[in-house]
Amino acid sequence: MSDLPYRPNVGAVVFNADGLVLVARRADQPRGEAAGGAWQLPQGGLDEGEDARAAVLREVLEEIGTDRVEILAEHDAWLTYDLPDHLIGVVWGGRWRGQKQRWFALRFLGEDSEIRLDADPHPEFDAWRWVPLGELPALAVPFKREIYERLSRDFARFAEPA
């Protein structure tokens, strides 16, 4: 695994006017009361040569169906995570060991009705909701939890009502 590179990625912590954060449930994961589903923040691959700010806006539009956001801040570090062993070679064609991510805090400027998970022909998510920033780590899959803890600390200043 250590010979594989990290996949370049961008992520969005989208805050509404009340200081809550948008999380979405992955459509490709088990659901039901016991499973709970895999909730995450919007994120996606960074194409070679693509500007990270442009990429995060593209990903938000693709994943939640609206670009009614403004960038508030860019995290000052690339954050990385490793996939668990059972996913190495399964996701991303076995080309990556995990992801190195550039995270952004964004403010949602639209109405909830503008969030459309079905806008993309291949939706990644099947449900979404607003949650307090501090709940992010508990919602994350274990291998992303450390990043979500860091984002909860580093972007806390945006969790106040606008």
Side-chain angles (χ1 to χ4, degrees):
M1 176 173 100
S2 62
D3 293 339
L4 294 173
Y6 287 105
R7 177 179 181 247
N9 184 278
V10 292
V13 183
V14 180
F15 293 89
N16 70 8
D18 295 324
L20 299 174
V21 175
L22 183 142
V23 293
R25 185 176 62 195
R26 292 190 56 91
D28 61 356
Q29 297 296 308
R31 287 181 295 285
E33 200 170 315
W39 293 86
Q40 70 176 51
L41 301 167
Q43 63 177 58
L46 178 62
D47 297 329
E48 188 172 335
E50 185 178 23
D51 175 74
R53 287 177 166 261
V56 77
L57 296 175
R58 173 184 53 77
E59 283 296 331
V60 166
L61 179 59
E62 287 175 8
E63 294 190 353
I64 68 169
T66 181
D67 60 358
R68 302 260 303 155
V69 295
E70 67 177 341
I71 295 174
L72 300 172
E74 179 176 348
H75 199 280
D76 61 355
W78 286 93
L79 305 180
T80 60
Y81 72 82
D82 289 329
L83 289 169
D85 290 343
H86 72 279
L87 292 178
I88 300 290
V90 175
V91 297
W92 305 311
R95 296 177 28 209
W96 314 102
R97 69 187 280 181
Q99 297 196 95
K100 78 174 182 180
Q101 302 178 301
R102 179 63 75 173
W103 284 94
F104 293 84
L106 290 87
R107 176 77 63 206
F108 180 60
L109 303 173
E111 301 293 326
D112 285 2
S113 61
E114 296 175 72
I115 297 173
R116 299 252 340 266
L117 302 181
D118 62 350
D120 190 85
H122 305 288
E124 185 168 338
F125 304 120
D126 64 5
W128 68 273
R129 61 186 175 164
W130 296 109
V131 301
L133 180 65
E135 288 184 17
L136 284 181
L139 293 171
V141 294
F143 59 92
K144 292 184 182 178
R145 193 158 292 144
E146 188 175 320
I147 286 179
Y148 281 27
E149 288 170 351
R150 178 124 184 230
L151 294 172
S152 291
R153 285 190 311 270
D154 295 350
F155 286 159
R157 66 190 183 274
F158 302 113
E160 298 296 322

